[in-house]
Amino acid sequence: QVRLVESGGRLVQAGGSLRLSCAASGRTFSTYTMGWFRQVPGKEREFVARISWNGGSTYYADSVKGRFTISRDNAKNTVYLQMNSLKPEDTAVYYCAVGRSITTTQADYWGQGTQVTVSS
């Protein structure tokens, strides 16, 4: 079955950096868009970033532009999120997402999430 497993979430100080990884299994997603969302308790899931199947096109939420970078390695069926200049408001559970297309609200497959906590 399809499985997406995120890793790399942890406690980090404001201004620090963190890299999240998401490894997919069960099928190859080399022709799919991959991305990241995040969610805090009591709020709706928020789009963060997406990357096209060949890595040629990326799109970011305004809140993370210039600070986060999404990338992928199709040989490893993995997507990454490099997070720099972290702020307390970046604290959330981060979810990996995969889809034939990904919008700011939808995707086809989801990971279980990894907690990122940024201290002030």
Side-chain angles (χ1 to χ4, degrees):
Q1 65 184 54
V2 172
R3 185 177 178 87
L4 305 177
V5 180
E6 302 96 332
S7 62
R10 63 176 177 87
L11 173 66
V12 63
Q13 292 185 327
S17 297
L18 198 61
R19 190 178 77 156
L20 305 182
S21 299
C22 172
S25 62
R27 67 174 296 171
T28 300
F29 290 107
S30 58
T31 61
Y32 283 62
T33 300
M34 304 183 82
W36 292 91
F37 290 72
R38 65 188 182 186
Q39 188 170 30
V40 299
K43 295 186 178 180
E44 295 184 356
R45 191 167 297 186
E46 174 190 19
F47 169 80
V48 176
R50 67 173 181 248
I51 185 168
S52 61
W53 72 272
N54 62 358
S57 179
T58 58
Y59 184 75
Y60 298 90
D62 288 342
S63 59
V64 306
K65 285 181 180 178
R67 299 189 299 118
F68 291 9
T69 302
I70 188 170
S71 62
R72 66 189 294 165
D73 185 340
N74 286 343
K76 297 181 178 179
N77 220 23
T78 298
V79 63
Y80 306 93
L81 186 68
Q82 178 66 46
M83 310 164 69
N84 297 328
S85 301
L86 284 163
K87 304 174 181 179
E89 52 263 43
D90 294 319
T91 295
V93 176
Y94 283 71
Y95 295 91
C96 176
V98 180
R100 294 291 297 269
S101 65
I102 291 178
T103 70
T104 55
T105 59
Q106 293 182 273
D108 295 333
Y109 302 96
W110 301 89
Q112 84 291 343
T114 185
Q115 177 70 48
V116 173
T117 302
V118 184
S119 62
S120 60

